[in-house]
Amino acid sequence: LFWKAFLIPVALHMIWDLPIPNFFYIPLILNGIVSWYIVFGIVQQGLRQVKREQLNQTKEELARTQSVVVAVTSSHRAPVLQPR
């Protein structure tokens, strides 16, 4: 993961500095498009990670709540009336 995060900016900077003839700034525009695509991909990856963590916490909280409800309801049962 470190190498991916390190090599992407290095490669983009290398492309930026290449002595390519700039016909209408096409290499720079393409570099910008690729950069934004990568940035949005990283943001999406982070959002998926946050969503996964929120889901795990919600499942844990639900399990704790269910165990409390079961414990409380089993200890407070209504008395059963016996016919005479």
Side-chain angles (χ1 to χ4, degrees), residues 23-75:
F23 299 111
F24 303 106
Y25 298 101
I26 291 175
L28 302 179
I29 291 171
L30 289 176
N31 198 359
I33 290 170
V34 169
S35 300
W36 278 107
Y37 180 79
I38 291 170
V39 166
F40 285 129
I42 291 170
V43 168
Q44 284 296 323
Q45 184 180 5
L47 290 174
R48 281 192 296 271
Q49 184 178 358
V50 168
K51 180 180 178 181
R52 188 171 43 248
E53 191 61 34
Q54 286 176 336
L55 185 60
N56 288 338
Q57 286 182 349
T58 302
K59 286 179 181 178
E60 289 173 6
E61 186 65 29
L62 178 61
R64 279 194 299 268
T65 303
Q66 286 175 337
S67 67
V68 168
V69 168
V70 167
V72 168
T73 56
S74 64
S75 65

Side-chain angles (χ1 to χ4, degrees), residues 5-16:
F6 173 73
L7 290 177
I8 289 171
V10 169
L12 291 173
H13 188 73
M14 182 183 69
I15 293 169
W16 183 271

